[in-house]
Amino acid sequence: MTAPVLRFTPAEFAARLAKTRAAMEARGCELLIVTDPSNMNWLTGYDGWSFYVHQCVIVPPHGDPIWFGRGQDANGARLTAWIREANILGYPDDHVQNPDKHPMDYLSGILRDRGWGGLRIGVEMDNYYFTAAAFVSLTRNLPNARIMDATALVNWQRAVKSDTEIAYMRQAATIVERMHARIFDAVEVGMRKSDLVAEIYDAGIRGGNGPAGDYPAIVPLLPSGRDASAPHLTWDDRPLKAGEGTFFEIAGCYRRYHCPLSRTIFLGKPTRAFLDAEAATLEGMEAGLAAARPGNTCEDIALAFFGVLARHGIRKDNRTGYGIGVSYPPDWGERTMSLRIGDRTVLEPGMTFHFMTGLWLEDMGLEITEAILITDTGVECLASVPRKLLIKD
Amino acid sequence: MTAPVLRFTPAEFAARLAKTRAAMEARGCELLIVTDPSNMNWLTGYDGWSFYVHQCVIVPPHGDPIWFGRGQDANGARLTAWIREANILGYPDDHVQNPDKHPMDYLSGILRDRGWGGLRIGVEMDNYYFTAAAFVSLTRNLPNARIMDATALVNWQRAVKSDTEIAYMRQAATIVERMHARIFDAVEVGMRKSDLVAEIYDAGIRGGNGPAGDYPAIVPLLPSGRDASAPHLTWDDRPLKAGEGTFFEIAGCYRRYHCPLSRTIFLGKPTRAFLDAEAATLEGMEAGLAAARPGNTCEDIALAFFGVLARHGIRKDNRTGYGIGVSYPPDWGERTMSLRIGDRTVLEPGMTFHFMTGLWLEDMGLEITEAILITDTGVECLASVPRKLLIKD
């Protein structure tokens, strides 16, 4: 095998591992089993659509990380991760989706063989890719271990982005700008929604003279009219109608780094309800962005935004943003900080968020959002897309 | 709210619920918590990209199913599922990705309030969307319940497809045919791989005069040359090279129903290794298809295929297929039957599989596969794409 193609320097990977080990030590965790694909990628570079079977990266007490996965995916680890051959461990294929043979049974044997069966072992208890069955298998097969919850331990180390990560997110921002420009160019009354989705993918993936796009962790969400009261409906082939608003919740993605950004387009003359929601949102965003600076907290951004909405008679009872960065389906959020009341995480330069100011009301939805970077002195919007209700007649 | 748009008749949904209840009874399960989004869809019609937060469908001891999810997604349930208003239960947004408040804590309260706290409760232990933390929450909050493993209980009820499901899969087959035709038209030496991916999405989503496509549960996989030894790498923007083979593992998707089908294209004059692998695969597929008939088992197909490969000096040590149908990311497989040695599931008319005959060898990969339907007398390939190594000079 040739050397893997790495997207970060060895020094950056080493720093990530050191940060992770420090966090493990602070929590009394001696060995970490990392199942979140975005954490696996961040620690090792591993990149592949293999997370539909059990796999993980192990951070042992000493030495380099270990990749553990399906045998046929070991070549993927060799091609994408900075893991030496001896640390790439594949399990036999009869352990794939077989109720009688669980991959975590197999992993337990490896951990015991290496003398790690009695350690304090951290697992990501509330991650999509760490199932209840995986937990039961480890608990049963490692009776001397102390299994402890390390949900989001690695995710938190990712919160402050490096220069290279920010450069990748700026590329993703370029992509999402291109996607929104294409939407506005292409959208028209009578167009099938599926055809518009094809335009969005085309703009998101083709490079043209700019960066080619990777697949975002969520597909385009673009409900119209009353359907937009439901934030997570996907598309169908019904034609777009005059007199309706459609929001476009999309992200550009570059080397697995995301820049989400939503806009809403009204076909025809917007209703008073849309104009009122737009006014409240834009004023609230200004207030939220003004509160987005180092030393303030996540909650401060939410309070500023919600305060303006309340003055406009709108109550928003869901969170108004979350950390973003490297990710895999089903979520482009980082699953750490949320911009909501009660989250007193202190903002630091290099943190990145989707300031998710969407309003899903009784019979309409409006999304005008920004992807933001906390700077040394305040905040910067990563992408530049006209921040308003877009209108096309 | 207007009535939901349902893709199956009330009678078909009722039959699915009855089948599920019979399977529950056979296993001694009194209440079922269904977290697999494909099972939620199959039982109720619910369709939305909301599975990145905790949600489920509950099959109670009596009466209609209950949808439980994030409050803001309740409208999505109203718009897509045959669930009456009283059975749509949203949880507050501060339970989203909050280590102090788990949605399953909230659900436990509902189950206790309804007098179901002491039942034998089935959960999908080994599903992506049922995390270890969800299991621990239920166990702690429902001390009088007997939590039992019901992994794949609903998936197995889906194995034999209805006429409408088969009709949807035929639409998906039309879509995947269109996608492969587009690939062969567009592919050429020097083309950036990302541009080819944009073509694949375009063909997969746009309807033209045929059905518009939904998003497949896996993104296009199309590694070239040596990278094709790793089955699950995704794309980048490097140009396609002469003298290399690329496999295209893709699916058409219609109303969440999948028709996966892979082909391999060689740019230039194929090497002996490719021609040999092609000959073995095609002969092996004929043998496998001949074994695919009611009364035979999953294993019989695998044995027939592997037997031919062995005569050609090729050992395949991974499974050679799996059930297919309705699905969501990260997997378009049904996670029940596998075409492999040891799986003695008896084939029945109406079962559908991806006959996944891919070979990932030392420094190349070849995928020539078929999506198949077991008929009353044998087998039918759902899609019609030339079954051979495709060559473009």
Side-chain angles (χ1 to χ4, degrees):
Chain A
M1 279 271 159
T2 47
V5 178
L6 297 178
R7 292 160 172 180
F8 297 92
T9 62
E12 182 156 352
F13 281 118
R16 293 173 178 186
L17 183 61
K19 275 175 84 172
T20 301
R21 281 222 162 94
M24 288 166 61
E25 197 170 342
R27 304 255 286 259
C29 169
E30 295 171 300
L31 180 145
L32 185 63
I33 297 178
V34 179
T35 38
D36 185 326
S38 55
N39 291 336
M40 293 174 65
N41 173 294
W42 185 78
L43 281 169
T44 72
Y46 180 66
D47 183 26
W49 191 290
S50 55
F51 39 85
Y52 70 94
V53 296
H54 289 281
Q55 56 177 21
C56 58
V57 162
I58 296 153
V59 181
H62 305 284
D64 286 352
I66 294 167
W67 181 93
F68 173 77
R70 186 181 187 180
Q72 67 172 225
D73 291 316
N75 277 348
R78 292 181 185 109
L79 289 162
T80 62
W82 70 277
I83 298 195
R84 59 199 164 83
E85 184 59 30
N87 282 5
I88 295 177
L89 308 179
Y91 59 80
D93 212 70
D94 62 357
H95 285 60
V96 172
Q97 299 174 358
N98 182 344
D100 300 324
K101 296 184 179 186
H102 200 283
M104 291 292 148
D105 299 346
Y106 195 91
L107 177 65
S108 298
I110 292 173
L111 297 183
R112 281 195 311 265
D113 288 349
R114 299 196 174 204
W116 297 332
L119 298 183
R120 293 191 297 271
I121 296 178
V123 295
E124 297 172 308
M125 289 292 287
D126 209 14
N127 190 273
Y128 315 109
Y129 300 102
F130 189 69
T131 65
F135 173 65
V136 169
S137 166
L138 290 175
T139 306
R140 190 176 45 218
N141 289 294
L142 298 171
N144 298 320
R146 186 169 145 227
I147 310 284
M148 55 188 291
D149 187 6
T151 301
L153 183 149
V154 178
N155 305 59
W156 277 104
Q157 311 318 311
R158 292 159 36 194
V160 174
K161 304 295 180 290
S162 72
D163 290 346
T164 307
E165 287 181 299
I166 291 170
Y168 288 176
M169 291 178 78
R170 290 191 195 285
Q171 295 284 43
T174 303
I175 293 168
V176 82
E177 289 169 0
R178 201 165 70 199
M179 293 163 80
H180 278 293
R182 177 77 71 86
I183 292 169
F184 192 73
D185 277 354
V187 67
E188 59 181 4
V189 173
M191 183 181 205
R192 299 210 298 187
K193 187 163 283 182
S194 43
D195 291 337
L196 187 52
V197 172
E199 297 284 346
I200 294 171
Y201 273 104
D202 191 82
I205 296 170
R206 273 183 204 279
N209 294 320
D214 204 346
Y215 62 91
I218 304 179
V219 297
L221 303 172
L222 57 162
S224 298
R226 185 178 284 263
D227 282 2
S229 68
H232 296 118
L233 294 189
T234 53
W235 67 82
D236 56 30
D237 58 2
R238 284 180 291 174
L240 292 160
K241 286 190 222 166
E244 277 193 346
T246 302
F247 70 70
F248 296 87
E249 183 168 342
I250 57 176
C253 184
Y254 182 75
R255 298 187 170 186
R256 308 295 334 125
Y257 281 79
H258 288 71
C259 181
L261 189 138
S262 304
R263 286 293 179 269
T264 302
I265 299 181
F266 199 95
L267 293 178
K269 186 173 152 40
T271 61
R272 174 53 48 196
F274 268 90
L275 295 172
D276 288 349
E278 178 200 21
T281 299
L282 295 183
E283 187 189 333
M285 289 177 83
E286 290 296 341
L289 291 171
R293 58 172 183 270
N296 270 4
T297 66
C298 285
E299 177 181 70
D300 291 327
I301 300 176
L303 284 169
F305 180 63
F306 293 159
V308 172
L309 289 188
R311 284 206 304 279
H312 285 260
I314 297 172
R315 180 168 165 272
K316 182 170 160 76
D317 60 1
N318 35 50
R319 66 178 181 169
T320 194
Y322 44 80
I324 51 172
V326 63
S327 206
Y328 285 88
D331 186 15
W332 60 43
E334 218 157 40
R335 295 180 295 285
T336 49
M337 309 167 275
S338 290
L339 304 182
R340 67 177 155 209
I341 295 166
D343 192 324
R344 306 224 164 88
T345 309
V346 176
L347 301 173
E348 294 177 47
M351 286 181 172
T352 48
F353 297 91
H354 186 201
F355 185 21
M356 209 314 151
T357 44
L359 299 179
W360 305 284
L361 306 175
E362 178 85 21
D363 55 4
M364 60 167 276
L366 179 85
E367 292 191 6
I368 303 175
T369 75
E370 293 286 357
I372 62 174
L373 165 69
I374 306 298
T375 63
D376 289 339
T377 55
V379 70
E380 183 190 325
C381 292
L382 286 169
S384 174
V385 180
R387 192 193 303 158
K388 60 182 182 184
L389 174 65
L390 302 167
I391 296 164
K392 199 160 176 181
D393 266 319
Chain B
M1 279 272 157
T2 46
V5 178
L6 297 178
R7 292 162 172 179
F8 296 92
T9 62
E12 181 156 352
F13 281 119
R16 293 173 179 186
L17 183 61
K19 274 175 85 171
T20 300
R21 281 221 162 95
M24 288 166 62
E25 196 170 342
R27 304 255 287 258
C29 169
E30 295 171 300
L31 180 144
L32 185 63
I33 297 178
V34 179
T35 40
D36 185 327
S38 55
N39 291 337
M40 292 174 65
N41 173 294
W42 186 79
L43 280 169
T44 73
Y46 180 66
D47 183 26
W49 191 290
S50 56
F51 39 85
Y52 69 94
V53 295
H54 289 282
Q55 58 177 19
C56 59
V57 162
I58 296 154
V59 181
H62 304 285
D64 287 350
I66 294 167
W67 181 93
F68 173 76
R70 186 180 185 180
Q72 67 172 228
D73 291 317
N75 277 349
R78 292 181 185 109
L79 288 162
T80 62
W82 70 276
I83 299 195
R84 59 199 163 83
E85 185 59 31
N87 281 6
I88 295 178
L89 308 178
Y91 60 80
D93 212 70
D94 62 357
H95 284 61
V96 172
Q97 298 174 0
N98 182 345
D100 299 325
K101 296 184 180 186
H102 200 283
M104 289 293 147
D105 300 345
Y106 196 91
L107 177 65
S108 298
I110 293 173
L111 297 183
R112 282 196 310 265
D113 288 349
R114 300 196 174 205
W116 297 333
L119 297 184
R120 293 191 297 271
I121 297 178
V123 294
E124 296 171 311
M125 289 294 286
D126 209 14
N127 190 273
Y128 316 108
Y129 300 102
F130 189 70
T131 66
F135 173 65
V136 169
S137 166
L138 291 175
T139 305
R140 191 176 44 220
N141 288 295
L142 298 171
N144 299 321
R146 186 168 145 227
I147 310 285
M148 54 187 292
D149 187 6
T151 302
L153 183 149
V154 178
N155 306 60
W156 276 105
Q157 311 317 311
R158 294 160 37 195
V160 173
K161 304 295 178 291
S162 72
D163 290 346
T164 307
E165 288 181 299
I166 291 170
Y168 288 175
M169 292 179 77
R170 290 191 196 284
Q171 294 285 43
T174 303
I175 293 168
V176 83
E177 289 169 359
R178 201 165 70 199
M179 293 164 80
H180 278 294
R182 177 77 71 89
I183 292 168
F184 192 73
D185 277 353
V187 68
E188 58 181 4
V189 172
M191 181 180 207
R192 298 209 299 187
K193 188 164 282 182
S194 42
D195 291 337
L196 188 53
V197 172
E199 297 283 347
I200 294 171
Y201 273 105
D202 192 82
I205 295 169
R206 274 183 203 279
N209 295 321
D214 204 347
Y215 62 91
I218 304 178
V219 298
L221 303 171
L222 57 162
S224 299
R226 185 178 283 264
D227 282 2
S229 67
H232 296 118
L233 295 188
T234 52
W235 66 83
D236 56 31
D237 59 2
R238 284 179 291 175
L240 292 160
K241 286 190 221 165
E244 278 193 345
T246 302
F247 70 71
F248 296 87
E249 183 169 342
I250 57 175
C253 183
Y254 182 76
R255 300 188 169 186
R256 309 295 334 124
Y257 281 78
H258 288 71
C259 181
L261 189 138
S262 305
R263 286 293 179 269
T264 302
I265 300 182
F266 200 96
L267 293 177
K269 186 173 152 39
T271 62
R272 175 52 49 197
F274 268 89
L275 295 172
D276 288 349
E278 178 201 22
T281 299
L282 295 183
E283 187 189 333
M285 288 177 83
E286 290 296 341
L289 291 171
R293 59 172 183 270
N296 270 3
T297 66
C298 286
E299 178 181 70
D300 290 327
I301 300 177
L303 284 169
F305 180 62
F306 293 159
V308 172
L309 289 188
R311 283 206 303 278
H312 285 260
I314 298 172
R315 180 168 165 271
K316 182 170 161 76
D317 60 1
N318 35 50
R319 65 178 180 167
T320 194
Y322 44 81
I324 51 173
V326 63
S327 206
Y328 286 87
D331 185 15
W332 60 43
E334 218 158 38
R335 294 180 296 286
T336 49
M337 308 167 275
S338 290
L339 304 183
R340 67 177 156 208
I341 295 166
D343 191 326
R344 306 226 165 86
T345 309
V346 176
L347 302 173
E348 294 177 47
M351 286 181 171
T352 48
F353 297 90
H354 186 201
F355 186 22
M356 208 316 151
T357 43
L359 299 179
W360 307 285
L361 306 176
E362 177 86 21
D363 55 3
M364 61 166 276
L366 179 85
E367 292 191 6
I368 302 174
T369 75
E370 294 286 357
I372 61 173
L373 164 69
I374 305 299
T375 64
D376 289 338
T377 55
V379 70
E380 183 189 325
C381 292
L382 286 169
S384 175
V385 180
R387 191 191 307 159
K388 59 182 181 183
L389 173 65
L390 301 167
I391 297 164
K392 199 158 176 183
D393 266 318

